Amino acid sequence: MSQRDMTVYEHIGELQKRLMFVVVFFLLAVVVSFFLAEPLIRYLQHADEAKELTMNAFRITDPLKIYMEMIMFIALIMTSPLILFQVWSFVSPGLYERERKVTLSYIPVSLILFLGGLSFSYFILFPYIVKFMMGLSMNLNIEQVIGINEYFHFLFQITIPFGFLFQLPVAMLFLTRLGIVTPMMMAKMRKAAYFILLVIAALITPPDIVSHLMVTVPLFILYEISIWISKIGYKKVLEAEQKLEMEQFEEINKD
């Protein structure tokens, strides 16, 4: 039985199976992450942005909390390709054969964009913000006592959102292929989208205009790229529909 002919309950059962598969793989990734978390934490503590800072634990549980959060973060990255593949497998029966192959290629691209977003925020945005904050503290004669918990939470707050935001072009292309979004809709909603991105930038950056622009401008560019990519995907959808109509018309004429 194809997924097109499945009932609602059968779809739910299929979704549960896929979720269970993801959960099992995530637990295995957590086990592997136990061995990767400590080296990564040490690397981040001795990177250029943090090597001059003295990390302090204000609570006994702070080191364990950071260790567990890093494990979950690494496990999530390791599991993300499988999650994307399961999503693709679940919706692919509703796509044309050509679209199945094309959308499958989105998975590695999505992962690359996620890592690209993390890299941009960590190597470009994060150092500037740290320098800005330290400079502000010196100007105000404030001696900062850095808590390791607060430092890593701030690091996650800056970097992780960018990992997801950089996937905007792929997400919009995928939704366009599914017929949920069109480039005309995205262009019409440009002002509202810009406002939402502006708010997101304000939430993840300190209150200075330079760092705000460093986040806002790339997000605006990403949205415009998403519209352009969506146009390409929309054109492919129309071509596929026209081809299918022609094939059906030819079959009718043969009969």
Side-chain angles (χ1 to χ4, degrees):
M1 179 185 294
S2 68
Q3 288 196 23
R4 293 174 184 269
D5 302 322
M6 293 169 65
T7 65
V8 175
Y9 292 106
E10 288 170 333
H11 274 293
I12 294 175
E14 179 71 17
L15 183 60
Q16 288 177 338
K17 290 178 182 178
R18 297 188 183 280
L19 287 175
M20 285 300 298
F21 189 71
V22 170
V23 169
V24 170
F25 188 89
F26 178 78
L27 293 176
L28 294 175
V30 167
V31 174
V32 176
S33 301
F34 267 102
F35 302 97
L36 301 176
E38 184 177 345
L40 182 57
I41 291 173
R42 289 184 179 275
Y43 167 78
L44 294 174
Q45 284 181 289
H46 294 89
D48 292 339
E49 295 76 26
K51 64 183 180 182
E52 297 180 0
L53 303 176
T54 302
M55 300 292 176
N56 299 276
F58 298 129
R59 288 172 294 189
I60 295 177
T61 57
D62 278 354
L64 178 61
K65 185 178 181 181
I66 294 301
Y67 188 64
M68 295 305 297
E69 288 179 351
M70 186 62 71
I71 288 173
M72 294 296 118
F73 175 65
I74 297 173
L76 181 61
I77 292 180
M78 294 174 63
T79 312
S80 59
L82 179 64
I83 295 174
L84 293 173
F85 178 76
Q86 293 300 326
V87 172
W88 174 85
S89 298
F90 187 72
V91 302
S92 61
L95 303 176
Y96 300 115
E97 182 63 29
R98 175 180 172 81
E99 289 178 330
R100 290 195 191 104
K101 295 179 181 179
V102 173
T103 51
L104 182 60
S105 65
Y106 296 170
I107 295 176
V109 174
S110 178
L111 182 60
I112 292 171
L113 287 175
F114 181 78
L115 296 176
L118 292 180
S119 301
F120 170 81
S121 56
Y122 178 72
F123 291 107
I124 298 178
L125 180 62
F126 186 68
Y128 171 80
I129 294 176
V130 171
K131 290 179 182 178
F132 172 81
M133 291 299 184
M134 297 303 294
L136 183 62
S137 297
M138 291 180 62
N139 292 336
L140 298 177
N141 294 321
I142 297 174
E143 183 177 353
Q144 286 201 358
V145 180
I146 309 298
I148 188 171
N149 186 43
E150 286 70 24
Y151 177 82
F152 276 94
H153 276 193
F154 184 69
L155 174 62
F156 290 151
Q157 178 187 348
I158 296 296
T159 56
I160 294 178
F162 260 90
F164 289 105
L165 290 170
F166 263 54
Q167 297 184 74
L168 184 62
V170 173
M172 291 299 102
L173 181 57
F174 186 68
L175 293 175
T176 301
R177 285 299 183 110
L178 294 179
I180 299 174
V181 172
T182 65
M184 294 75 74
M185 182 190 304
M186 292 179 64
K188 187 176 181 180
M189 296 176 59
R190 181 182 276 110
K191 291 183 180 179
Y194 275 16
F195 176 76
I196 294 172
L197 294 175
L198 198 66
V199 171
I200 292 174
L203 291 174
I204 62 177
T205 56
D208 73 285
I209 187 64
V210 177
S211 59
H212 194 273
L213 287 175
M214 288 176 68
V215 175
T216 304
V217 172
L219 292 183
F220 285 175
I221 294 174
L222 275 174
Y223 189 79
E224 294 302 324
I225 292 174
S226 300
I227 295 178
W228 176 69
I229 292 177
S230 179
K231 289 180 180 178
I232 297 175
Y234 188 69
K235 183 180 178 181
K236 296 293 184 182
V237 171
L238 293 179
E239 290 176 354
E241 289 178 350
Q242 291 176 356
K243 184 177 180 181
L244 180 62
E245 289 176 358
M246 288 294 296
E247 290 176 353
Q248 291 175 345
F249 179 75
E250 290 175 359
E251 288 180 2
I252 292 172
N253 288 338
K254 287 180 181 179
D255 296 338

